[in-house]
């Protein structure tokens, strides 16, 4: 039996959800968010979802109100008797708190998983999680997809890839750099980064040879830009011909835009999981909408998603 599919969106991800719905072949579901005078929000669904498979699109970047709006929408969908509720969270916030790496700190991403499941989510679709093991914090299926197909297609279409070498700005990104290098049949180098505290880098060292190469730095998140700009500098100082960065989630806070503008980076290529706060001639945005629409189709048809995972 065919089930009705409804795609709703939180307010801050509407620009992306509209593109996902269009690529899927239907309009976004009708919803609104009412607001009390003190700022408390109350999402309301303006159409029937009884027995439907409902996808709710919302990235959970700051402010935390985005998380609350997603949770409240899921609760509304649950109480309106949907068959399944699938959270589509292109950027999964609090993912950087994925372990207790010092005493008396929370594991934020586990709490996020518990909140989503308690609200009523039966499946999560997300992209380029900061740490793969976050999938294990959920006791529901997680479809973890990658922006790599979009990024690689862009590279192949716009760059002479023969001289390209990939770079990870930290040891944690080695697997990603290796996967991209394999896909293009090229090599990769890594930086060894030590942090003093969140967003503050102690030291960074390059491991590998980049002389005369067009280097593409890869990362999941760019926040203040400190990591990527420092990595770009050390790579350029080590003789690279050019340095670009491809980063999925553009948080771009603090002095990020100025940092990028004055950095060695020729170009920063990001995805649209988070909206840019302003335009920059150094920043190119690639859309992930078709990937999410395709994943929604496959979830609905009970088809494999794993070939989307393969770079
Ligand atoms: C951390 O491990 C992440 O992968 C990014 O490297 C980090 O969040 C980037 O932060 P920032 O741009 O503030 O250096």
């Amino acid at each position: 039996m065919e089930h009705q599919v409804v795609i709703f969106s939180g307010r801050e991800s509407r620009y992306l959800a509209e593109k996902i719905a269009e690529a899927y072949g239907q309009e976004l579901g009708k919803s609104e968010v009412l607001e009390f005078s003190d700022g408390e929000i109350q999402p309301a669904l303006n159409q029937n979802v009884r027995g439907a498979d409902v996808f709710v699109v919302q990235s959970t970047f700051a402010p935390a109100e985005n998380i609350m709006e997603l949770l409240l929408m899921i609760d509304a969908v649950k109480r309106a008797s949907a068959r399944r509720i699938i959270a589509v969270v292109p950027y999964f916030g609090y993912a950087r708190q994925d372990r207790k790496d010092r005493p008396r700190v929370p594991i934020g991403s586990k709490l996020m998983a518990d909140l989503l499941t308690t609200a009523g989510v039966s499946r999560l679709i997300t992209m380029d999680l900061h740490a793969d093991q976050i999938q294990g914090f959920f006791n529901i299926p997680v479809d973890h997809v990658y922006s790599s197909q979009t990024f690689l297609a862009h590279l192949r279409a716009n760059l002479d890839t023969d001289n390209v070498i990939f770079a990870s700005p930290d040891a944690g990104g080695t697997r990603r750099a290796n996967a991209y290098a394999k896909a293009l049949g090229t090599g990769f180098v890594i930086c060894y980064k030590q942090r003093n505290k969140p967003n503050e880098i102690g030291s960074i060292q390059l491991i590998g040879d980049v002389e005369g190469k067009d280097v593409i730095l890869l990362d999941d998140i760019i926040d203040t830009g400190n990591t990527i700009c420092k990595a770009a500098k050390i790579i350029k100082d080590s003789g690279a011909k050019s340095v670009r960065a491809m980063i999925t989630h553009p948080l771009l806070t603090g002095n990020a835009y100025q940092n990028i503008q004055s950095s060695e980076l020729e170009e920063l290529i990001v995805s649209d999981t988070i909206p840019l706060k302003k335009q920059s001639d150094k920043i190119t945005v690639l859309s992930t909408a078709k990937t999410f629409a395709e994943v929604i189709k496959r979830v609905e048809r009970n088809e494999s998603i794993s070939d989307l995972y393969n770079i």
Side-chain angles (χ1 to χ4, degrees), residues 199-238:
N199 297 120
E200 194 181 299
I201 300 161
S203 67
I204 191 159
Q205 283 148 358
L206 178 66
I207 305 169
D209 183 17
V210 293
E211 183 75 45
K213 293 286 187 184
D214 293 309
V215 180
I216 316 257
L217 275 157
L218 301 166
D219 211 345
D220 57 327
I221 297 170
I222 178 164
D223 193 347
T224 61
N226 284 339
T227 301
I228 224 68
C229 294
K230 284 208 172 166
K233 173 147 178 43
I234 188 171
I235 286 169
K236 200 70 204 292
D237 289 351
S238 303

Side-chain angles (χ1 to χ4, degrees), residues 2 34 41 45 47 65 67 81 86 91 95-96 109 120-121 125 171 189 217 252 262 295 300:
E2 287 272 305
L34 311 172
I41 54 168
L45 313 177
Q47 69 179 75
E65 203 71 2
I67 299 169
S81 305
I86 298 104
Y91 168 67
R96 288 173 289 184
S109 42
V121 157
I125 299 172
V189 297
L217 275 157
L252 297 173
S262 57
V295 172
E300 278 308 298

